Amino acid sequence: MRIVLLTIVLILPFHFLFSQQESGGIVNANEFADVFSGPVPKWRPRGDGYAFIARSGLVIKVNDSTRVIQEAQNTFTWSHDGESIVYTAKDSSGILKIFRYFLNDGTSKLLSLESGWADFYPDISPDDSIVAYYSAKGEPYKLYYLKNGVTRKLLARDPLEEYLHPKWSPGSNYLVYFKHLPTDEVILEIMEFFSKRVVFSLDGNRFDFYAWSPDGKEILAREVVETTVYPDYNNVVLVRFNIETGNKTVLTRKLKDLSSAEWSKASNRIVFVANEELYVMEENGANLKKIFSGGHAPNIHPNGKKVIFFRNRKNLPVCEIDLTGDNLKTLERKTFKISDLEE
């Protein structure tokens, strides 16, 4: 059976890509494989552990200990000091909310406002002081952020515009997000957080954001070569954009089912998935090499030498492999059954 995790959402119209199950519950394939958050698996920033979403909840492995947050679902992100995890889960009223789990004492804290609306896909700033997310309060969705215990709306230029999927730059000074206009036009936009000034924008129907460069001056994106009403995601390239100059560098030739990419902070190499195969290359596109067939959602280790990923097997095991393609290891033998993710 062919497993379609990350690639399945890429062939859907943009407006459906962002539809959410506000009531929560077991993730379906579309939620599970969100192309911007990539909910699982992720190394601990210190490199001494990892976490992933499983049927049982959010599983955290640090050194020889295992913890499970049973209510967690959909997505999570490590704090940059590795001492906590920000995640989504249902609150006592059954509404999807944002929480923060602290490893030192094993407690979770509700970050979202107590309300009847759902909140989604948090991202924590590199200094660990601000959590940005988008919320269903007063739909269409808008961006919010939490700082020093106070929640504020981040963008509200037009009440009919929708703002989704914020991602911090490495220096905490920029946020990238998608803006969905009432005309169905989609814009990939980068905003300077403190001034709220937009510094860069792209056609969001043609470009998808994947990662920031380690210095925060460039972004890694997928470009649909031929834009149509329903974009042909079998005809794409991986590109870099300098957000200050607008200069674009094409890194790959046309690819099939390009579904995720990461830029290593330690080794300045890029790992990506195309046609369910893991590739690595230099940040200028040189020395392209396939390192594994049948994997999804790679996350580069902090040392820049290996990746953690899902393997296409019956129970979706979590594996790791060196960027050389050597030393394949199975870290977790089971996360989900395929039947859990099929519609």
Side-chain angles (χ1 to χ4, degrees):
M1 179 182 297
R2 183 173 182 267
I3 302 172
V4 284
L5 290 178
L6 291 176
T7 54
I8 187 170
V9 293
L10 301 178
I11 61 175
L12 300 178
F14 188 92
H15 67 276
F16 183 72
L17 176 66
F18 292 114
S19 64
Q20 305 292 333
Q21 298 290 336
E22 293 187 18
S23 61
I26 183 65
V27 292
N28 60 34
N30 296 330
E31 289 181 290
F32 182 84
D34 178 83
V35 294
F36 307 110
S37 300
V40 283
K42 297 175 184 176
W43 294 108
R44 190 185 189 197
R46 296 180 179 183
D48 60 348
Y50 53 90
F52 60 95
I53 295 286
R55 175 90 177 160
S56 57
L58 173 58
V59 181
I60 304 170
K61 295 290 187 79
V62 176
N63 296 321
D64 295 326
S65 69
T66 300
R67 313 179 193 193
V68 180
I69 306 175
Q70 295 183 349
E71 302 86 358
Q73 56 190 11
N74 296 75
T75 189
F76 72 93
T77 183
W78 284 97
S79 64
H80 297 269
D81 63 7
E83 292 296 331
S84 63
I85 287 182
V86 179
Y87 65 96
T88 56
K90 289 181 180 179
D91 65 8
S92 57
S93 300
I95 306 298
L96 200 63
K97 291 293 180 181
I98 295 169
F99 295 80
R100 189 168 185 172
Y101 176 82
F102 297 91
L103 273 70
N104 62 345
D105 59 10
T107 62
S108 285
K109 178 182 179 181
L110 175 66
L111 299 184
S112 297
L113 295 174
E114 294 186 18
S115 64
W117 59 78
D119 301 318
F120 304 100
Y121 294 90
D123 194 44
I124 190 167
S125 62
D127 63 4
D128 291 332
S129 66
I130 309 172
V131 175
Y133 61 95
Y134 71 92
S135 174
K137 179 184 179 182
E139 294 185 62
Y141 299 131
K142 295 293 190 294
L143 298 185
Y144 289 79
Y145 70 95
L146 175 69
K147 182 179 181 179
N148 297 328
V150 179
T151 300
R152 294 183 173 91
K153 185 182 292 186
L154 182 58
L155 292 171
R157 298 190 184 106
D158 185 332
L160 297 180
E161 291 177 347
E162 192 165 54
Y163 295 87
L164 307 150
H165 291 271
K167 284 290 182 181
W168 289 100
S169 69
S172 299
N173 51 331
Y174 295 116
L175 270 179
V176 61
Y177 53 86
F178 282 86
K179 180 169 67 175
H180 193 184
L181 305 180
T183 59
D184 282 339
E185 180 184 2
V186 180
I187 300 173
L188 173 62
E189 203 164 74
I190 296 177
M191 179 193 70
E192 189 177 48
F193 177 73
F194 294 102
S195 70
K196 308 301 184 288
R197 179 175 61 94
V198 175
V199 299
F200 190 75
S201 62
L202 292 168
D203 178 357
N205 281 317
R206 184 173 177 181
F207 294 95
D208 283 328
F209 170 82
Y210 279 136
W212 286 96
S213 63
D215 62 9
K217 294 181 179 180
E218 295 184 82
I219 61 170
L220 193 63
R222 178 188 63 184
E223 179 181 5
V224 179
V225 179
E226 297 176 0
T227 303
T228 60
V229 175
Y230 296 104
D232 179 7
Y233 291 105
N234 290 327
N235 191 7
V236 297
V237 294
L238 195 61
V239 300
R240 290 167 50 178
F241 273 103
N242 186 300
I243 66 172
E244 296 175 354
T245 66
N247 290 340
K248 181 177 76 171
T249 303
V250 179
L251 300 176
T252 65
R253 297 183 178 182
K254 295 178 182 179
L255 296 169
K256 180 181 180 181
D257 292 341
L258 177 62
S259 56
S260 61
E262 274 220 343
W263 199 327
S264 171
K265 297 178 178 64
S267 63
N268 286 328
R269 287 186 285 181
I270 292 171
V271 173
F272 66 93
V273 176
N275 197 26
E276 300 184 5
E277 297 178 325
L278 271 62
Y279 291 87
V280 63
M281 64 183 174
E282 304 298 325
E283 61 181 359
N284 62 0
N287 299 319
L288 177 66
K289 178 183 179 181
K290 182 172 70 175
I291 59 174
F292 190 77
S293 294
H296 296 279
N299 180 245
I300 304 173
H301 192 275
N303 66 16
K305 297 180 180 179
K306 58 184 178 180
V307 296
I308 191 171
F309 65 97
F310 274 123
R311 188 175 184 181
N312 286 8
R313 289 292 177 90
K314 181 179 180 180
N315 293 315
L316 301 181
V318 175
C319 299
E320 72 171 50
I321 195 169
D322 293 347
L323 294 191
T324 59
D326 302 316
N327 299 319
L328 175 67
K329 298 178 182 178
T330 299
L331 302 179
E332 307 292 335
R333 296 192 177 279
K334 181 178 180 180
T335 56
F336 284 88
K337 295 179 180 178
I338 300 301
S339 58
D340 291 336
L341 303 175
E342 291 179 330
E343 295 182 304

